[in-house]
Amino acid sequence: MGIATDIILLVVTSFFCGLLMQRLRQPLILGYIMAGVVLGPHTGGLTITDAHDIELLAEIGVGLLLFALGLEFSHKDLKPVKWIALVGTPLQIGLTLALGVGIGRMLGWDVKTSIWFGALISLSSTMVILKTLMNQGWLGTLSSKVMIGMLIVQDLAVVPMLIILPLMNDPAAGMVHLGQAAVKAVLFLFCMFVLGIKLLPWLMRRIAKIGSRELFLLAIIAIGLGIGYATYLIGLSFAFGAFIAGMVLNESDYGHQALSDIIPLRDVFGLLFFASVGMLLDPAFMVKHFGSILLLVLLVSLGKSLIFAAVSWLFRYGNVVPIAVGLGLFQIGEFSFVLARIGVSSGSISHDFYNLVLTTAVLTMVLTPIVSSQTARLYALKKRWFQKELLESINFPDKGFNRHVVIAGGGRVGMQIASALHRLARPFVVIELDQRRIEQAKEAGYAVVYGDASHEIVLEAASMESAALLVVTIPGIVEAQAIIAHAQRLNSRIEVAARLSDPDFFPIFSDLNVTDLVYPELEAGLEMTRQALLALHIPVTEIQRQTEALRQEYFVSGMSQTKPYQTLSQFRSAEQQFDLQWLTIAAGNPLIDRSIGESEIRKKTGVSVVGVLRDNQLEPNPGPQFRFQDQDLVAVIGSDEARTAFQTNFFPAERLVGEMAA
């Protein structure tokens, strides 16, 4: 079966290796790489027949990953990190190039080989770090945005490297090719952001009207891979073109659906990429040159980590960001393999040097998920060593906080909560990493802490020990777990409200004793249910009973009858026993321009007026001085006899409009 057999072997082996890594609580990436080593040409036994075909499919995986990233990554997200991406990345490449030359000269390599080594190690792996960020739930944080921004510029830098490095003996020709590549890149970006923004949404709209999911999926793949291939044909990066296509499509109404459809394909082809990386490893070569490889891994990892951390610090990123970026981007990237192959084919580097760099690159990739996972621990040590380092706190009251609300995440949901608390004059603190959102909160006068809420030191800065309530708006389960666990360590009596992104996470939140959960999809479904039942003229009290019963059934079953939810359920059940009746005061009604006291409503009928809706504004529990007006919607509560008496006395010629929701 040829290539089909190879793919089946890789998928099956990757499954078992991934299962093993899961049992060992290690990243799945390591399992995929292990599968590639097992089936690679250097280990014997069951072997892939055509590794080249797998590598070609792996390139499609890189393109799909970058396309999916573009679908998730709006150009607006680049604004907070544009300076470090556009200026800091060239600086990082230059410093890493110098590091490589220094290592090469120290090991006795000639200048040309040393320059090649510096160029090869200057690039980091987009594929590895994105998969690592996804698995660790860190996508969306400021650290991840800094890394992604720098990786994008690195991918762009591959183009001039591909031109310049093989032509070091003929600089004039290299500059000509570089100029041509720059013109092509500018023209491509112009076409995509000027023409593509209009053309692609129009195309997707026409396809969506057909109503075929298959055609929609094919259209997405064709756009992502087709534009990527177009950039490849004009001499630019295939992955770069796919990423730009995703960004453009993200600005349309079809970005979310496109991302949802493309994720399974992305993951399958991504598996092939990591397996192809493992296939490059030669265990015999590793054993023979173990000392040199270990030295290079240590020097490259430590050197690149320090460079990335220093560049992040230089661009005034504080707290956990320099550490996260340093521990995330220290590996050698997949585009280095492409550069190395060109170096061998052009005679610029030897085969032994190629294998040495290749093995070093793969090992740094393997180490990335493990090293990156130590970010929190290293940050905690840093805070312990440098106690005087202050987090940026804005708009804090002089007397501090007490019995306040801590909002973890200043996105759309978090800012809505903050706005409501602000109007109610309730004290609160917003914790956010996105500088753009920090500025918005600052302008609104909100108290805000710049930092990652999943770190205990940041929660301390928000006075968590004296807070009354923690609201976690961040959807990522890993981050939410860390935030809640740290908060409960600092304040064992803290109430917690959290956002539920997946029903499978119910047990996790149950174990954390979360006070209240909000599942957006459930709330949207219940609201649509209300609207549908209202359209069918079902009484509001019955609608309320049904929707609340559904909510209780959903949450109580999911939360396994935790004490907070038992209490909440009992409260809502009791609430349903109050049967409100709403009546509209029409022209000629004797209540118009009379107060509740003057009308003697309770004395004459036995009902109580508990609310009046006027001009879409609710007046709860109006007092005896409250005067009725034409078109007021009045809510009364009482026995059946009392409500009948109320209607007889004050609505003799009126028809009951019906029960309505206030």
Side-chain angles (χ1 to χ4, degrees):
M1 293 175 62
I3 184 65
T5 303
D6 291 343
I7 293 174
I8 293 170
L9 284 174
L10 270 178
V11 171
V12 173
T13 308
S14 296
F15 168 73
F16 286 107
C17 291
L19 191 62
L20 175 63
M21 290 298 111
Q22 187 73 20
R23 292 288 179 91
L24 298 174
R25 296 189 176 184
Q26 298 298 318
L28 292 178
I29 294 173
L30 300 184
Y32 303 154
I33 294 175
M34 180 187 294
V37 174
V38 172
L39 298 176
H42 307 291
T43 53
L46 196 61
T47 305
I48 295 295
T49 56
D50 196 341
H52 180 66
D53 288 342
I54 299 298
E55 291 175 3
L56 293 177
L57 293 174
E59 290 184 19
I60 295 176
V62 175
L64 287 174
L65 180 78
L66 269 294
F67 181 55
L69 176 64
L71 287 169
E72 294 182 281
F73 205 79
S74 172
H75 70 277
K76 297 176 182 177
D77 295 326
L78 282 173
K79 289 183 179 179
V81 299
K82 62 181 178 181
W83 291 115
I84 190 172
L86 297 175
V87 181
T89 306
L91 175 62
Q92 170 265 315
I93 291 174
L95 291 173
T96 311
L97 183 64
L99 170 69
V101 172
I103 293 173
R105 298 301 291 164
M106 182 185 71
L107 297 176
W109 299 341
D110 60 58
V111 175
K112 187 178 183 180
T113 302
S114 299
I115 292 174
W116 268 93
F117 181 70
L120 292 173
I121 69 170
S122 67
L123 304 174
S124 302
S125 176
T126 304
M127 192 78 170
V128 171
I129 196 59
L130 284 179
K131 195 68 176 178
T132 301
L133 291 171
M134 291 174 188
N135 292 342
Q136 295 175 344
W138 291 351
L139 275 179
T141 64
L142 181 60
S143 302
S144 71
K145 291 178 180 179
V146 170
M147 286 187 261
I148 292 170
M150 298 185 77
L151 286 168
I152 291 169
V153 177
Q154 282 188 0
D155 291 345
L156 291 175
V158 172
V159 177
M161 287 185 182
L162 288 171
I163 297 169
I164 293 175
L165 288 173
L167 298 172
M168 282 192 295
N169 297 328
D170 191 359
M175 291 303 297
V176 172
H177 286 287
L178 183 62
Q180 292 174 348
V183 172
K184 292 175 183 177
V186 170
L187 290 174
F188 170 73
L189 291 173
F190 175 80
C191 292
M192 288 301 299
F193 286 104
V194 176
L195 302 176
I197 287 178
K198 295 182 179 181
L199 180 61
L200 291 185
W202 174 84
L203 178 62
M204 294 307 302
R205 188 162 53 251
R206 297 296 295 268
I207 294 171
K209 286 182 178 179
I210 298 174
S212 172
R213 289 290 302 271
E214 291 85 355
L215 280 177
F216 188 85
L217 176 61
L218 285 174
I220 296 167
I221 298 172
I223 289 172
L225 299 184
I227 293 176
Y229 185 63
T231 58
Y232 168 77
L233 291 177
I234 63 174
L236 299 175
S237 168
F238 172 79
F240 170 66
F243 174 79
I244 298 298
M247 281 189 65
V248 172
L249 196 57
N250 182 44
E251 300 300 320
S252 72
D253 298 331
Y254 307 96
H256 295 296
Q257 184 60 47
L259 177 62
S260 172
D261 288 346
I262 207 72
I263 284 176
L265 282 173
R266 178 200 68 187
D267 292 341
V268 171
F269 280 94
L271 177 155
L272 296 178
F273 168 78
F274 289 107
S276 70
V277 170
M279 291 165 58
L280 298 173
L281 279 175
D282 185 354
F285 183 86
M286 288 179 60
V287 173
K288 185 178 179 180
H289 301 87
F290 180 75
S292 300
I293 293 171
L294 181 61
L295 179 62
L296 286 178
V297 169
L298 290 174
L299 291 175
V300 171
S301 300
L302 182 60
K304 287 190 69 175
S305 294
L306 292 174
I307 289 172
F308 275 105
V311 171
S312 300
W313 176 82
L314 184 65
F315 281 81
R316 299 187 176 183
Y317 289 94
N319 302 318
V320 74
V321 175
I323 297 175
V325 174
L327 297 184
L329 297 180
F330 71 89
Q331 76 288 134
I332 302 174
E334 56 272 2
F335 284 115
S336 298
F337 302 155
V338 180
L339 281 174
R341 289 194 190 102
I342 292 177
V344 171
S345 62
S346 64
S348 301
I349 59 177
S350 65
H351 284 278
D352 285 344
F353 178 79
Y354 171 81
N355 289 325
L356 187 66
V357 174
L358 191 70
T359 307
T360 303
V362 174
L363 289 178
T364 58
M365 289 181 174
V366 171
L367 290 172
T368 297
I370 301 171
V371 174
S372 181
S373 65
Q374 304 305 307
T375 299
R377 293 182 181 179
L378 190 58
Y379 182 62
L381 287 174
K382 174 192 172 187
K383 303 307 297 183
R384 193 177 303 167
W385 294 339
F386 301 97
Q387 292 287 339
K388 295 182 180 179
E389 182 182 352
L390 297 176
L391 292 162
E392 185 180 1
S393 303
I394 303 168
N395 295 330
F396 269 46
D398 296 334
K399 296 182 179 180
F401 286 102
N402 187 41
R403 303 296 296 168
H404 59 292
V405 180
V406 177
I407 304 172
R412 288 188 296 271
V413 176
M415 293 304 285
Q416 288 175 2
I417 299 170
S419 178
L421 292 172
H422 184 69
R423 288 196 299 269
L424 293 169
R426 295 297 302 270
F428 66 92
V429 181
V430 179
I431 302 175
E432 179 55 51
L433 263 173
D434 190 319
Q435 190 61 41
R436 178 170 54 86
R437 293 170 179 169
I438 290 284
E439 293 297 327
Q440 291 174 353
K442 182 179 178 180
E443 292 175 4
Y446 302 159
V448 60
V449 173
Y450 171 84
D452 188 340
S454 63
H455 299 295
E456 194 167 311
I457 188 69
V458 178
L459 296 176
E460 289 178 352
S463 303
M464 180 57 70
E465 66 278 359
S466 62
L469 173 67
L470 168 66
V471 181
V472 182
T473 68
I474 298 169
I477 185 62
V478 176
E479 283 186 288
Q481 280 182 277
I483 294 168
I484 296 169
H486 291 319
Q488 290 173 338
R489 247 192 318 268
L490 294 170
N491 185 346
S492 59
R493 303 182 64 181
I494 189 73
E495 300 285 327
V496 181
R499 176 179 177 181
L500 180 67
S501 59
D502 193 315
D504 292 339
F505 298 149
F506 268 128
I508 296 174
F509 285 109
S510 178
D511 293 339
L512 291 170
N513 295 317
V514 173
T515 312
D516 200 3
L517 283 175
V518 177
Y519 184 30
E521 284 78 3
L522 174 65
E523 297 302 325
L526 292 178
E527 182 59 32
M528 292 184 69
T529 301
R530 290 190 194 95
Q531 297 300 324
L533 296 180
L534 281 171
L536 295 173
H537 305 291
I538 305 296
V540 170
T541 53
E542 182 61 27
I543 294 174
Q544 189 69 11
R545 289 191 186 96
Q546 294 299 326
T547 54
E548 289 299 331
L550 287 171
R551 180 184 282 108
Q552 291 174 47
E553 179 183 344
Y554 197 90
F555 277 112
V556 171
S557 63
M559 296 299 292
S560 302
Q561 291 285 354
T562 60
K563 185 176 179 180
Y565 273 87
Q566 290 179 27
T567 304
L568 184 61
S569 299
Q570 292 168 3
F571 174 78
R572 285 171 171 162
S573 178
E575 184 185 34
Q576 292 170 8
Q577 305 306 313
F578 296 98
D579 196 4
L580 297 182
Q581 188 169 11
W582 293 82
L583 298 106
T584 300
I585 298 178
N589 191 291
L591 290 175
I592 295 176
D593 294 328
R594 297 184 67 189
S595 70
I596 294 177
E598 292 171 349
S599 303
E600 298 182 324
I601 293 176
R602 185 169 180 82
K603 182 179 179 180
K604 292 180 179 179
T605 67
V607 303
S608 297
V609 178
V610 295
V612 178
L613 189 65
R614 178 182 295 167
D615 297 329
N616 294 322
Q617 295 293 322
L618 180 65
E619 179 71 26
N621 299 315
Q625 304 304 318
F626 182 87
R627 291 188 173 275
F628 296 106
Q629 294 181 6
D630 187 20
Q631 296 305 309
D632 279 351
L633 190 62
V634 183
V636 296
I637 190 170
S639 65
D640 291 339
E641 294 80 6
R643 286 184 291 165
T644 300
F646 175 69
Q647 193 172 347
T648 302
N649 277 270
F650 298 104
F651 294 81
E654 300 291 330
R655 182 173 58 88
L656 180 65
V657 177
E659 295 177 333
M660 301 179 63

